[in-house]
Amino acid sequence: MKDRTLLMIPGPVEFEPAVLGALGHPTASHVAPDFIEIFGACIEQMRKVWMAPSSQPLILAGTGTLAMDTAGANLVEPGDKTLVISTGFFGERFAELLKRYGAEVAILRAPLGGIVESKTIEAELKKSTYKLMVFTHVDTSTGVLMNPVEIGKLGLRYDVLTVLDGVCSVAGEEIRQEEWGIDVVLTASQKAIGVPPGLALLAVGPKAMSKWRSRKTPVLNYYGDWGNWLPIMEAYEARKPSYFGTPAVNHICALHVSLSQVLNEGLEKRFKRHKRIGDSCKAAASAIGLKQVPLQPEFAASTMTALYYPDTVNGPELLSKIKEAGVVLAGGLHPDIKAKYFRIGHMGAVKPGDILATIGAIETGLARCGHSFETGRGVYTVQEYLSQ
Ligand code: PMP
């Protein structure tokens, strides 16, 4: 493993060996009794991880974009008014896909690095009647965290379905779907869920299911039509064989291992671990003079950190020096500042030592790029922070 680098991007992340081991097992038939048991157990585990006991979980082969796509396709009928609360790149993506399904889309855009305030959302909901409101819990292009509690309340108050894009948050940031009144929480496997890319995961609450059931027009997406998948999810949960499209057998076995680990750790502990690690990374970055993209500390996610390059440093050169020091980080994604910042992912299996290694590699990279700063200050800050 001497050539191993540490993958610290905001997805895919480092995965637990037991999860990777499950991917390498001989592939079972999708109707083998052992596999049916595993699939059924994953559905039950998802309800716990999402804290959504009355929801219908869906496990589909695909990526996070498919999870967004299937939520849009099933909940929107042509002409429906939808509100997108955009804190970056992925909010804009949601708006585009909703338009494909004929939605009339209004967008409330946050300033770069900022959030959309609840009072702004409420003013819009007072002005017009919406069927659906979508928001990104953590927008991976900015590292900005939105407050789902407020949005859940607004959804209930104004009778608007709420969809939370939790691709960069589920199983890392605190989410209590049912208690907070969020109708759909969707994610993908490759981030805090802890399974390599390949699964789209959604928990659909009762109100969203009933809106979907009362559709007047067909779902304009064949693969993603919940009507095709609901009987399959129900059959697996009842431990019965079924088939619509071949499930991603190995990925689902890996999901079972990972969700078991998540539940064994305990959700409260897991949220705290992410917060502590995220805070230590941000404290270290600021100790060596790196500025965050989120405009205020309380807007910043626990699962990732987005940092501006210092003015004196060439971004691609810095990332390449950090990689030489053993850590892979991600460049920018938000089109307005793409070349000006970089991103660190710290979720799922992440451990305190990974942040030490990451901050150490960033310091090495900065020094090799000729940037002057107090060397060692970042690593010291992580140690201080994590020893408290
Ligand atoms: N939403 C968010 C918040 C994301 O971070 C991502 C992926 N980075 C997606 C949606 C899309 O997921 P995928 O790349 O798996 O399609």
Side-chain angles (χ1 to χ4, degrees), residues 14-54:
E14 293 284 338
F15 301 112
E16 292 285 358
V19 171
L20 296 175
L23 280 180
H25 285 171
T27 304
S29 157
H30 58 291
V31 290
D34 288 358
F35 177 67
I36 292 174
E37 177 54 41
I38 286 172
F39 202 135
C42 284
I43 291 174
E44 291 160 359
Q45 289 174 315
M46 274 181 65
R47 286 200 190 91
K48 292 186 184 147
V49 173
W50 269 241
M51 296 199 208
S54 323

Side-chain angles (χ1 to χ4, degrees), residues 11-305:
V13 299
E14 293 284 338
F15 301 112
E16 292 285 358
V19 171
L20 296 175
L23 280 180
H25 285 171
T27 304
S29 157
H30 58 291
V31 290
D34 288 358
F35 177 67
I36 292 174
E37 177 54 41
I38 286 172
F39 202 135
C42 284
I43 291 174
E44 291 160 359
Q45 289 174 315
M46 274 181 65
R47 286 200 190 91
K48 292 186 184 147
V49 173
W50 269 241
M51 296 199 208
S54 323
S55 71
Q56 175 58 58
L58 295 165
I59 303 173
L60 308 178
T63 74
T65 306
L66 176 77
M68 297 160 77
D69 198 34
T70 186
N74 285 271
L75 294 176
V76 162
E77 295 192 65
D80 281 347
K81 287 192 72 159
T82 66
L83 182 61
V84 174
I85 296 151
S86 174
T87 42
F89 182 90
F90 290 101
E92 302 301 315
R93 173 172 292 187
F94 226 141
E96 280 312 300
L97 85 82
L98 292 169
K99 284 184 205 157
R100 287 285 177 98
Y101 295 114
E104 229 183 80
V105 178
I107 308 182
L108 289 176
R109 278 193 185 90
L112 181 63
I115 58 162
V116 180
E117 303 276 355
S118 301
K119 60 177 188 301
T120 311
I121 303 172
E122 179 152 25
E124 185 59 34
L125 295 178
K126 271 189 183 148
K127 224 167 62 192
S128 303
T129 306
Y130 288 97
K131 174 178 180 186
L132 186 75
M133 163 162 72
V134 311
F135 68 105
T136 317
H137 193 186
V138 174
D139 198 296
T140 319
S141 70
T142 53
V144 166
L145 173 80
M146 281 290 290
N147 181 349
V149 180
E150 297 294 318
I151 297 180
K153 280 187 196 153
L154 289 173
L156 292 172
R157 192 172 311 144
Y158 291 88
D159 194 25
V160 184
L161 288 177
T162 44
V163 176
L164 179 157
D165 170 353
V167 174
C168 196
S169 67
V170 174
E173 303 283 351
E174 181 180 2
I175 300 181
R176 303 172 192 277
Q177 179 175 350
E178 200 150 315
E179 185 187 324
W180 293 351
I182 311 287
D183 295 298
V184 178
V185 172
L186 61 89
T187 193
S189 51
Q190 72 269 19
K191 304 200 195 206
I193 287 286
V195 176
L199 293 177
L201 306 167
L202 301 95
V204 184
K207 203 163 79 184
M209 285 307 280
S210 106
K211 278 263 159 61
W212 166 72
R213 281 186 219 279
S214 62
R215 285 180 68 97
K216 295 185 182 61
T217 58
V219 172
L220 295 173
N221 179 320
Y222 181 71
Y223 178 81
D225 185 342
W226 293 346
N228 288 325
W229 291 107
L230 184 59
I232 308 305
M233 301 302 137
E234 287 172 344
Y236 276 113
E237 191 166 11
R239 309 306 197 256
K240 291 193 183 121
S242 63
Y243 167 73
F244 169 63
T246 311
V249 171
N250 290 54
H251 271 75
I252 290 167
C253 294
L255 179 68
H256 180 48
V257 174
S258 194
L259 293 179
S260 304
Q261 290 175 342
V262 170
L263 292 167
N264 282 343
E265 179 178 8
L267 288 164
E268 307 303 334
K269 241 174 116 184
R270 193 172 175 91
F271 299 149
K272 277 202 191 112
R273 173 168 61 85
H274 279 82
K275 172 98 176 74
R276 188 157 167 261
I277 283 183
D279 285 351
S280 74
C281 183
K282 289 165 181 71
S286 95
I288 51 174
L290 298 176
K291 185 172 163 259
Q292 283 191 59
V293 174
L295 296 172
Q296 292 186 30
E298 63 273 24
F299 300 167
S302 296
T303 50
M304 64 171 290
T305 301

